[in-house]
Amino acid sequence: GLVPFSEGGLELVADVLDGQKTGFYLDQRDNWMALRPLARGRRVLDVCCYTGAFGLSMLAGGAASLLGVDSSRRAVETAGEAARRNGFASARFECADALEALPAMAGAGERFDLTVVDPPAMAKTRAHRELAMRAYRAYNAAALAVTAPGGLLFSCSCSPWVGVPELAALVAEEAARAGREAVLLEVRGQSRDHPIHPLMPETAYLTGTLWHAA
């Protein structure tokens, strides 16, 4: 079920038979292309990496190293295959629950210069918003704990019920709780070929926030 394709100068694979949805998340393409120039020389952590496009794009931008973490073994194997196709020997992918793996990394003193955290959709409807907020808060607290002082955090929500105001507030609050200051540098959304209908606000479902974590 692995179908090879080229995007953003990378040789990638979509798991069209056994993967999630279409087997590849094209709605993040503009974001991983936009972040690429920021990666040069940085140690990159890609949390909930799925098939690895964010991290592989960072390596194409000159990142020093990449660690991708995802709970799906199939996704991690697919990401590894994409890394091999692009000759990225410094790419490493681990199958693990991020909310268990990241605290262990933090406890061991591991730190990264650029962290991407892109959890799955937690709120399918407005009724699930509060549960989703707790989950996003946990992911972002764990991601901040392994982001080096002066590093960058790109935090995402793929639920229309957790948009810019909610995501920005919880990242800032978790940074303050950890005794740090997070400065919001940029807000991004879904790729241009995933249009937003002005009369259907739920079609603006993808939020990406770029932070400087002091």
Side-chain angles (χ1 to χ4, degrees), residues 15-55:
D15 190 354
V16 297
L17 294 183
D18 298 314
Q20 300 170 23
K21 298 185 177 178
T22 62
F24 193 88
Y25 289 107
L26 289 166
D27 53 2
Q28 285 279 22
R29 175 186 51 208
D30 291 356
N31 293 330
W32 48 258
M33 289 292 292
L35 263 62
R36 182 181 291 182
L38 303 177
R40 181 166 298 278
R42 295 181 184 268
R43 296 159 296 169
V44 174
L45 173 65
D46 188 359
V47 182
C48 304
C49 66
Y50 192 45
T51 54
F54 255 117

Side-chain angles (χ1 to χ4, degrees), residues 19-193:
Q20 300 170 23
K21 298 185 177 178
T22 62
F24 193 88
Y25 289 107
L26 289 166
D27 53 2
Q28 285 279 22
R29 175 186 51 208
D30 291 356
N31 293 330
W32 48 258
M33 289 292 292
L35 263 62
R36 182 181 291 182
L38 303 177
R40 181 166 298 278
R42 295 181 184 268
R43 296 159 296 169
V44 174
L45 173 65
D46 188 359
V47 182
C48 304
C49 66
Y50 192 45
T51 54
F54 255 117
L56 296 177
S57 184
M58 301 301 103
L59 286 176
S65 63
L66 165 66
L67 172 60
V69 177
D70 199 277
S71 61
S72 166
R73 185 166 301 281
R74 177 72 173 178
V76 166
E77 290 171 351
T78 304
E81 172 61 23
R84 286 188 289 275
R85 287 170 181 259
N86 290 278
F88 292 144
S90 61
R92 183 162 58 96
F93 295 97
E94 292 184 0
C95 180
D97 183 327
L99 294 180
E100 296 177 358
L102 268 61
M105 291 180 201
E110 281 198 70
R111 298 295 183 269
F112 299 86
D113 307 307
L114 196 165
T115 303
V116 176
V117 57
D118 184 20
M122 303 290 179
K124 300 294 187 181
T125 69
R126 191 186 296 274
H128 297 128
R129 180 179 173 277
E130 291 308 315
L131 283 173
M133 288 285 288
R134 288 200 288 272
Y136 282 119
R137 189 175 292 279
Y139 275 104
N140 281 278
L144 280 163
V146 292
T147 301
L152 298 175
L153 171 69
F154 189 67
S155 174
C156 301
S157 161
C158 57
S159 168
W161 316 116
V162 181
V164 177
E166 296 85 3
L167 187 59
L170 71 85
V171 172
E173 288 164 5
E174 289 307 313
R177 195 189 308 275
R180 303 178 67 177
E181 182 183 14
V183 177
L184 181 58
L185 303 178
E186 186 177 358
V187 174
R188 301 188 57 83
Q190 60 227 49
S191 297
R192 295 180 185 90
D193 55 1

